[in-house]
Amino acid sequence: MRRIVIKVGSNVLTTDKGKLDITRVSSLVDQIAWLKEHRYEVILVSSGAVACGRQELKVEYALDSVEQRQLFSAIGQVKLVNLYYDLFREYGIHMGQVLTTKENFQPGDQYENQRQCMEVMIDNGVIPVVNENDTVSITELMFTDNDELSGLIARMMKAETLVLLSNIDGIYTGNPDDSDVEVIRSVKAGESLEQYIQSSKSSAGRGGMESKYHTARTVADAGIKVIIANGNTPDILINLATKPEETIHTEFVPKC
Ligand code: GLU
């Protein structure tokens, strides 16, 4: 059984106007259902709670950044997870929500409990849908973003592969807007790509290519294959599984 952690960023799940992109979520669920049918064990790390909540509610007075995160994630996470629930249900697939914080990754009972919880979900065919518990995360102790969270989950759950889906095809040899650049297809164990990494951030989520690169490097160094690919490309997950050579992405070869 191949265990795979799929991280989907807010930019993949929301439209340009910041609304939840139901068609996109539905297509991801279709692909995950396909993977499950083909005997993959899937853990989904999904962002989008804050972006979803922001769309739902017009606030009449100024909120500070912590209040915004708490309010919008509380509303948005419900909406997001309900959508996943309904869509997976169409396939007869059960999903369960796992909300976590950085403190839960310190060695100890909470870490072990969390791991155990996700193992029992997977053993029973349930897809864990993971996000940071933004309602209670303390700013200083937050994950840098869900890229970091997905890397910790992949290591904790001893996944074979971590797939980071964003709105870009992979890591480019320069500015993706220039015509003479290309996607770096394979990154050898231990190889550094620092010179190619742009520090600009995504608009909807907290991550960016810098954080994806750091997560990918660390996770591949821990012996897990990492793929950075474009979640907006139709059937990307199925294509990565069935015809990886023809599918544009960046792969970090795991350290043995
Ligand atoms: N946990 C945040 C959310 O669901 C996203 C964090 C990130 O953008 O990586 O809205």
Side-chain angles (χ1 to χ4, degrees):
M1 198 65 109
R2 295 155 291 181
R3 183 170 289 186
I4 172 169
V5 174
I6 299 165
K7 185 262 169 177
V8 195
S10 300
N11 271 333
V12 176
L13 298 172
T14 53
T15 62
D16 295 345
K17 296 199 171 71
K19 275 184 103 170
L20 185 62
D21 189 338
I22 294 172
T23 314
R24 179 73 40 69
V25 181
S26 171
S27 141
L28 284 164
V29 167
D30 294 344
Q31 296 176 64
I32 292 170
W34 183 95
L35 289 172
K36 209 158 180 305
E37 204 175 299
H38 289 78
R39 296 181 50 77
Y40 284 86
E41 290 176 344
V42 180
I43 298 167
L44 177 62
V45 177
S46 178
S47 302
V50 174
C52 263
R54 206 181 287 281
Q55 260 299 311
E56 287 296 296
L57 188 71
K58 232 180 146 61
V59 182
E60 304 296 339
Y61 65 99
L63 297 170
D64 69 27
S65 60
V66 173
E67 290 171 329
Q68 285 189 35
R69 191 172 73 239
Q70 292 174 328
L71 178 64
F72 295 139
S73 69
I75 301 169
Q77 180 66 23
V78 178
K79 187 173 175 192
L80 187 65
V81 103
N82 263 309
L83 182 60
Y84 280 125
Y85 178 87
D86 285 341
L87 292 168
F88 277 122
R89 208 167 175 207
E90 292 295 310
Y91 285 98
I93 295 173
H94 294 281
M95 53 84 39
Q97 174 179 258
V98 177
L99 293 179
T100 188
T101 62
K102 201 161 181 170
E103 283 168 302
N104 297 146
F105 287 86
Q106 297 301 321
D109 288 350
Q110 287 188 344
Y111 178 89
E112 197 37 48
N113 255 333
Q114 179 173 245
R115 196 190 60 71
Q116 188 59 38
C117 164
M118 285 167 64
E119 286 293 353
V120 80
M121 288 170 88
I122 293 169
D123 280 354
N124 286 279
V126 177
I127 297 183
V129 178
V130 186
N131 198 359
E132 180 164 12
N133 192 347
D134 292 297
T135 57
V136 297
S137 281
I138 297 160
T139 307
E140 300 74 37
L141 294 177
M142 276 162 57
F143 300 104
T144 317
D145 47 50
N146 275 3
D147 298 322
E148 183 188 18
L149 167 60
S150 65
L152 290 167
I153 295 277
R155 293 168 69 181
M156 179 175 79
M157 300 307 291
K158 300 196 181 347
E160 186 188 88
T161 309
L162 166 65
V163 182
L164 300 173
L165 290 182
S166 140
N167 57 356
I168 192 155
D169 287 339
I171 298 181
Y172 282 83
T173 51
N175 184 337
D177 296 332
D178 295 347
S179 56
D180 57 344
V181 295
E182 49 186 39
V183 170
I184 299 166
R185 296 300 297 267
S186 178
V187 187
K188 291 193 212 70
E191 187 186 350
S192 167
L193 293 185
E194 295 282 351
Q195 77 267 33
Y196 298 123
I197 306 302
Q198 320 271 321
S199 57
S200 57
K201 289 243 156 54
S202 57
S203 54
R206 294 209 300 270
M209 199 40 88
E210 210 169 6
S211 90
K212 276 175 195 50
Y213 169 69
H214 285 298
T215 292
R217 186 66 288 153
T218 314
V219 173
D221 286 348
I224 296 166
K225 177 160 90 177
V226 183
I227 288 171
I228 298 178
N230 197 331
N232 299 337
T233 305
D235 286 338
I236 185 71
L237 293 170
I238 298 173
N239 292 343
L240 286 168
T242 54
K243 42 178 181 177
E245 294 83 16
E246 297 159 45
T247 307
I248 300 181
H249 67 280
T250 299
E251 175 182 325
F252 286 72
V253 177
K255 207 178 222 170
C256 304

